[in-house]
Amino acid sequence: MQTANEFALSPADASNSKQVHGDCSNSSSSLNPALDQDVSNNCLLHCSRADYGSIASLNKSFRSLLRSGELYRLRRERGIIEHWVYFSCGPVEWQAFDPVRRRFMHLPKIPEIDSNVCFVCSDKESLAVGTELLLFGKDIMSFVIYKYSLLTNLWSISPNMNQGRCLIGSASLGETAIVAGGCDLKGNILQSAELYDSNTGSWTTLPDINTPRKMCSGFFMDGKFYVIGGIGRENRTLISGEMYDMETRTWTEIPSMFPSHNPEAEPPGTTKAPPLVAVVKNELYAADPEESVLRKYDKEKNVWDTIGPLPESSHSMQGWGIAFRACGDQLLVIGGTRYGQVVEINGWVPDAGPLRWNLLGRKYLGNFVYNCTVMGC
């Protein structure tokens, strides 16, 4: 298994590559002048984005196409999407993982983050949308969003939501994302929701959800956004879900949607993590760390069926410290092992046969995953 503790040369760094390699950039619009422009671009669209930094260091036209975002727009139009995992095993240090090449890569450090002790120590959520990674957290007297751009390989401050919040339910679909619920700086549980457009970097207020909730989870399924579980007012555990139809701009409540063991027996303000859910090919799955099993949701019956065990090595504390994500056509469990400071990434493709987890990557990073998201572009 090959792993590399390096990030491919980014577009932002490409202009400096001549310091290392000499000025070998080609001003031609094509890497191969003998090829037609469209043919050349089509070849580049099918290259792995792990190679884009190196290609950009050789060709100015390609570098411009990459930094403008036009390359990823063309990839989306032609259905060419690679899914990478982005996760942190420290408060602010991020890694990327390419599940095809099975390679780990460092993301750059968030600038001036060491001086922002409040943000480092606060609860944080992450969300990948378009070619951006958003990291939600708190400043001293307000909320703050840091944005990592795949186009520049840099972090910056992103415009905040109309209603600042943390402990949200969120998910993305292409270049659009929705956040719902959460709580404000005073700890009030929220009922509001917002939509983010990564093309404009703007937030739009949506109709309120039916039930205020925090520490919930969000996902897209069949083109609709769902928020599920969490904690409601009076600190009661919620097992309901809600579905948002973007065409009709309406929320529909789904009773008893989340497979809680016994919500009535759980103490108020439970310390359990938000539901660990993921969608592959419009099918919803949940990881249950209490019983260490994987479940699948039956949409017609509104029930959950047990499929089999989670990876034996995965370890969590009431669901904290482990991530469960959809990555293209496979489900991933990302978490630390019971012994040692090792994070493992295990994957399973539901259509590939009986449940059998495959070890995709292992790295000494610690054994607790703070945040995790998947970017497809």
Side-chain angles (χ1 to χ4, degrees):
M1 178 183 65
Q2 179 184 7
T3 60
N5 193 22
E6 60 184 7
F7 201 89
L9 183 63
S10 72
D13 294 331
S15 60
N16 297 324
S17 64
K18 60 184 178 181
Q19 299 176 10
V20 180
H21 304 289
D23 190 2
C24 56
S25 297
N26 181 358
S27 60
S28 169
S29 61
S30 172
L31 274 176
N32 188 340
L35 293 178
D36 176 82
Q37 176 69 52
D38 291 338
V39 175
S40 178
N41 285 345
N42 188 60
C43 293
L44 294 171
L45 291 177
H46 286 82
C47 291
S48 169
R49 61 187 178 97
D51 296 325
Y52 280 172
S54 299
I55 298 173
S57 70
L58 300 174
N59 184 268
K60 293 179 180 178
S61 178
F62 179 78
R63 185 158 65 245
S64 176
L65 192 68
L66 187 64
R67 297 181 71 174
S68 68
E70 178 69 9
L71 183 71
Y72 292 107
R73 185 190 67 79
L74 293 172
R75 281 167 65 95
R76 284 192 299 274
E77 284 184 356
R78 304 187 186 188
I80 305 169
I81 299 177
E82 289 179 79
H83 294 86
W84 285 14
V85 184
Y86 294 80
F87 67 100
S88 63
C89 289
V92 293
E93 295 180 356
W94 281 81
Q95 301 274 333
F97 178 73
D98 177 355
V100 175
R101 298 193 176 190
R102 302 192 178 188
R103 187 173 68 163
F104 291 89
M105 295 155 278
H106 278 304
L107 264 66
K109 189 175 182 180
I110 301 174
E112 301 179 359
I113 197 63
D114 293 335
S115 61
N116 195 340
V117 178
C118 185
F119 182 85
V120 172
C121 298
S122 70
D123 294 316
K124 288 178 282 294
E125 290 88 30
S126 59
L127 175 65
V129 51
T131 55
E132 299 174 355
L133 165 61
L134 303 181
L135 182 61
F136 305 87
K138 291 181 184 177
D139 211 331
I140 297 176
M141 297 297 293
S142 64
F143 292 101
V144 62
I145 303 175
Y146 282 97
K147 178 178 70 177
Y148 168 77
S149 172
L150 183 66
L151 308 181
T152 63
N153 195 34
L154 297 172
W155 290 91
S156 62
I157 298 291
S158 180
N160 217 326
M161 288 176 270
N162 297 311
Q163 167 71 70
R165 67 190 75 207
C166 64
L167 305 179
I168 57 177
S170 67
S172 64
L173 184 65
E175 296 162 291
T176 298
I178 293 179
V179 302
C183 60
D184 61 18
L185 287 171
K186 296 181 180 180
N188 299 312
I189 300 178
L190 302 175
Q191 197 168 354
S192 57
E194 300 188 37
L195 181 145
Y196 177 71
D197 184 342
S198 65
N199 287 318
T200 61
S202 61
W203 293 91
T204 303
T205 300
L206 299 178
D208 287 353
I209 56 179
N210 293 290
T211 303
R213 61 183 76 211
K214 67 176 182 179
M215 295 177 66
C216 46
S217 293
F219 55 89
F220 276 92
M221 182 168 62
D222 297 319
K224 296 177 175 61
F225 174 78
Y226 290 76
V227 63
I228 189 172
I231 297 173
R233 288 173 182 165
E234 299 182 355
N235 283 331
R236 301 308 302 180
T237 299
L238 300 174
I239 61 173
S240 64
E242 299 192 35
M243 181 269 289
Y244 180 69
D245 188 319
M246 291 188 288
E247 293 184 1
T248 62
R249 290 177 56 84
T250 57
W251 290 93
T252 302
E253 192 160 10
I254 306 173
S256 304
M257 187 179 182
F258 182 62
S260 179
H261 298 287
N262 187 1
E264 298 299 326
E266 292 179 0
T270 176
T271 57
K272 286 184 179 180
L276 299 175
V277 290
V279 174
V280 168
K281 295 184 177 179
N282 288 315
E283 297 291 344
L284 177 62
Y285 299 84
D288 181 350
E290 264 191 74
E291 297 188 2
S292 192
V293 295
L294 175 69
R295 305 186 195 278
K296 182 180 179 180
Y297 181 63
D298 187 320
K299 303 176 190 178
E300 295 183 1
K301 298 179 181 179
N302 192 30
V303 297
W304 291 83
D305 300 316
T306 299
I307 297 178
L310 294 176
E312 292 183 5
S313 60
S314 60
H315 175 64
S316 72
M317 295 178 286
Q318 293 191 309
W320 299 104
I322 188 174
F324 178 63
R325 294 288 183 268
C327 187
D329 63 351
Q330 65 181 325
L331 294 167
L332 300 183
V333 176
I334 306 102
T337 58
R338 296 180 183 275
Y339 307 101
Q341 300 297 303
V342 179
V343 164
E344 291 187 349
I345 300 178
N346 286 276
W348 174 60
V349 180
D351 290 344
L355 176 60
R356 181 177 299 171
W357 296 100
N358 297 310
L359 180 62
L360 303 178
R362 178 190 288 125
K363 194 169 180 66
Y364 287 91
L365 292 168
N367 61 358
F368 192 95
V369 177
Y370 285 85
N371 291 104
C372 180
T373 187
V374 173
M375 184 186 298
C377 56

